[in-house]
């Protein structure tokens, strides 16, 4: 009896003690922090870790402990650490940005957990349509919420510095305004569902080669004007729940361990109040990451845990800093649907989301060439010789974390066959060829990497002549794919292979001999060389990678149901060597670069091509339509600048069919001792669908910060006195109207901290 009574007393005492422990709520974070042990704090500020074979990532990548990892959403990227005794649950993080990335199947479960594959990031940006991008974000957020995920690891906002960047397809543009506005619209859409985003990769993670260790040497001005500006705009305009720091170093310091970047710029200057997390396995010092202002380390390793415990005990990581980071993690958990015990349905609005994906894919297609109105093809009885491997096996998106496990993928063939007569004999030839060629490819043994494509099917002269005899028009698709871990190559990637060039030539000559036309479709995620073969095509459609509904989107443009309205957000150069960044990309040494100097400075994309008078294949902002637009009646609110100026212009559809037009506003600043681009994009807008003859007034605001360049000597954004010109047009070269104003005296618009200076001198372009 005494033993039973004693056991009862111990149990009662334990229950009472547990009941007296604080349970997490929005009003008691300080009490929770006080109740945590040092070991619990160290675990809470990192994830559960990942069970990945040590030979892939090294011995220091082992999880922090041996706790059993039961993820309720298999295939998601990670979880936070739960402490049940204090009412702290684990929340779920999953990859994007082209749609939610989770496993489609689960053990002992016949149900499928597919998600919608949306268009790639560059294609979304090519719509130049903030409202549509926000709609896409809202659809993505619906799937994030109803699949039980709390934080969506997207959007990806880095810069198209070089056409070979392996993840350019995830990113938006060479221009920070396009990038920032696209990301802000995307974030606002996703977060309208009550789930969080993680804007990434902060910052200067603009290529993939040795991305976890490479040292990016870059000037303060280039960082401020090019590589940080898009992030700044997006963060201020959309307030993402989290920011993900990148892998690389900036001027000698890992970004995740760079206090100047993470604390001074992001949190102090930009007033970011959310949580900062590392990219997966980034950096080399967990305590340094904590001290830099990274609040959470993902996915978490034993090595980082040991570093944090040791630094906490020897005082190099203060209790105050550790507690602050713990508080940020708790604040994030409090915002989550998991904490709120939301009963997710596992039934997203799939049909509506797919419809949104089609709309975005259609509006992101760019018409590059259309000689003699080769497109649209209005006669449904037209017989098409559909050529190219990608016509039948269309690339829907990139690989790596940006891939999506989708239920299906509509090829260009599947899309076109509902609108036209497609040569079925050709379809069989291609399917048979690819089936055999793919079976002969070696098995992919590299984790997270896609299986390579088979070589393009060769089209001989005689075959091309046969196709020309039997069909009314040729449609030939060129494809490219890229993804995480690897950058693209110049040979047989940026440049077309010899087979691809020969195929285009043979088909063009055969069809032109019959006075028939060739349309080339570009199913690509990044820029390719076009100058050597462009003349062979009568029409060229940049179809990008349109997600799972790519084929239907392409068909709706080709048959004229939709008028193309996409515009380029990145320049297509004539030759790779024409790029300012081509020398020294991706860094030195060539094989596994440890360092790269951004000698191009602020001269990225059109800023370089225009300033240095380098001709291009297709300029920034370029894109054709099936109709024509007239610009007229430009007005400006005042010619003597004070706080802002308002600019307006009338746009009229002077063609015969309805269409949308993107109006681009560039600013030409006065030339002073500070080297400046000829012009920079400062505003843009897209009209609604305008019927023939319809006119609309488009209005834009130019603020004082839009006048300013970053002056390193003053650590400030400075607007120089003088005459400014405003150019309004349909691309950076096709300027329709010009007006201007004067700023009476030079003004310091915004003073910032003198941080992120390069250690070594960089000989930038002047």
């Amino acid at each position: 009896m005494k033993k039973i009574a004693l056991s009862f007393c111990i149990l009662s005492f334990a229950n009472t003690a547990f009941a007296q422990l604080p349970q997490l709520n929005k009003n008691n974070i300080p009490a929770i922090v006080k109740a945590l042990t040092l070991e619990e704090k160290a675990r809470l500020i990192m994830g559960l870790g990942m069970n990945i074979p040590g030979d892939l990532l090294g011995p220091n990548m082992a999880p922090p402990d041996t706790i059993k990892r039961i993820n309720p959403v298999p295939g998601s990227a990670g979880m936070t650490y739960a402490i049940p005794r204090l009412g702290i649950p684990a929340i779920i993080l999953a990859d994007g940005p082209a749609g939610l990335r989770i496993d489609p199947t689960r053990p002992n479960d016949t149900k499928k957990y597919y998600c919608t594959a949306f268009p790639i990031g560059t294609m979304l940006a090519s719509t130049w349509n903030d409202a549509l991008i926000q709609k896409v974000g809202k659809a993505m957020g619906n799937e994030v919420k109803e699949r039980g995920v709390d934080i969506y690891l997207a959007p990806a906002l880095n810069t198209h510095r070089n056409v070979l960047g392996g993840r350019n397809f995830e990113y938006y543009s060479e221009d920070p305004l396009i990038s920032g506005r696209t990301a802000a619209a995307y974030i606002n859409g996703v977060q309208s569902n009550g789930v969080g985003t993680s804007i990434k990769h902060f910052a200067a993670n603009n290529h993939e080669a040795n991305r976890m260790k490479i040292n990016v040497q870059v000037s303060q001005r280039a960082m401020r004007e090019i590589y940080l500006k898009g992030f700044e705009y997006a963060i201020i305009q959309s307030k993402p729940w989290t920011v993900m720091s990148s892998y690389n170093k900036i001027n000698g310091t890992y970004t995740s361990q760079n206090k100047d970047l993470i604390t001074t710029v992001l949190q102090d200057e930009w007033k970011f109040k959310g949580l900062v997390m590392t990219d997966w396995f980034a950096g080399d010092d967990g305590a340094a990451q904590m001290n830099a202002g990274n609040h959470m380390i993902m996915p978490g390793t034993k090595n980082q845990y040991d570093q944090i415990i040791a630094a906490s005990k020897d005082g190099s990581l203060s209790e105050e800093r550790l507690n602050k980071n713990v508080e940020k993690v708790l604040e994030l958990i409090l915002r989550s649907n998991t904490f709120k015990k939301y009963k997710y349905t596992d039934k997203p609005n799939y049909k509506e989301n797919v419809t949104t994906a089609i709309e975005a894919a259609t509006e992101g297609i760019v018409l590059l060439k259309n000689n003699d109105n080769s497109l649209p093809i209005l006669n449904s009885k037209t017989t098409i010789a559909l050529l190219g491997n990608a016509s039948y096996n269309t690339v829907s998106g990139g690989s790596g974390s940006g891939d999506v496990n989708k239920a299906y993928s509509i090829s260009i063939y599947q899309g076109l066959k509902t609108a036209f007569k497609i040569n079925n004999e050709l379809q069989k030839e291609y399917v048979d060829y690819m089936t055999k060629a793919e079976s002969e490819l070696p098995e992919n043994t590299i984790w997270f990497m896609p299986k390579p494509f088979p070589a393009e099917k060769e089209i001989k002269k005689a075959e091309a002549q046969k196709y020309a005899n039997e069909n009314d028009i040729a449609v030939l698709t060129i494809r490219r794919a890229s993804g995480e871990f690897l950058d693209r190559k110049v040979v047989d990637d940026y440049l077309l292979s010899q087979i691809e060039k020969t195929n285009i030539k043979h088909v063009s000559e055969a069809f032109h001999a019959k006075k028939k036309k060739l349309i080339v479709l570009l199913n690509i995620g990044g820029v390719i060389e076009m100058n050597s073969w462009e003349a062979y095509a009568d029409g060229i459609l940049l179809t990008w990678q349109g997600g799972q509904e790519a084929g239907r989107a392409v068909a709706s443009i080709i048959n004229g149901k939709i008028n193309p309205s996409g515009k380029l957000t990145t320049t297509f150069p004539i030759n790779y060597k024409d790029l300012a960044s081509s020398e020294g990309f991706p860094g030195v040494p060539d094989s596994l670069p440890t360092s790269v100097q951004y000698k191009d400075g602020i001269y990225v994309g059109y800023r370089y091509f225009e300033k240095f008078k380098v001709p291009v294949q297709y300029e920034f902002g370029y894109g054709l339509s099936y109709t024509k637009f007239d610009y007229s009646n430009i007005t400006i609110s005042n010619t003597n600048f004070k706080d802002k100026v308002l600019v307006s212009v009338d746009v009229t559809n002077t063609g015969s069919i309805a269409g949308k037009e993107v109006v681009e506003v560039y600013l030409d600043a006065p030339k002073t001792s500070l080297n400046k681009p000829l012009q920079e994009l400062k505003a843009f807008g897209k009209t609604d669908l305008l019927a023939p003859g319809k006119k609309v007034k488009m209005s834009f605001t130019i603020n004082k910060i839009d006048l300013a360049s970053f002056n390193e000597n003053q650590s400030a954004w400075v607007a120089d006195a003088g005459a400014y010109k405003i150019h309004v047009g349909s691309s950076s070269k096709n300027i329709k109207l010009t007006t201007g104003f004067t700023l009476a005296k030079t003004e310091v618009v915004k003073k910032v901290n003198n941080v992120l200076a390069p250690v070594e001198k960089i000989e930038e372009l002047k």
Side-chain angles (χ1 to χ4, degrees), residues 70-80 89-95 100-102 106 111 113-115 140-152 193-196 336-348:
I70 302 175
N71 191 329
V73 187
S76 58
M79 299 170 63
T80 61
I91 64 172
I92 311 298
L93 304 87
D95 278 322
L100 181 64
R101 181 181 172 84
I102 59 174
R106 299 177 184 179
K111 185 178 176 182
Y113 296 85
Y114 295 116
C115 296
M140 290 178 177
N142 164 255
E143 299 195 5
V144 172
K145 179 179 181 179
E146 298 305 339
R147 289 298 190 199
V149 173
D150 298 292
I151 306 296
Y152 186 44
N193 292 272
V195 294
S336 70
N337 280 328
T338 292
F339 180 82
K340 295 172 183 175
K341 294 182 171 56
Y342 174 72
K343 303 291 185 183
Y344 61 90
T345 65
D346 254 328
K347 295 179 181 178

Side-chain angles (χ1 to χ4, degrees), residues 177-197:
L177 178 63
I178 282 280
S179 296
R181 276 183 56 170
T182 301
Y186 181 110
I187 291 165
N188 285 329
V190 173
Q191 294 189 168
S192 68
N193 292 272
V195 294
T197 58

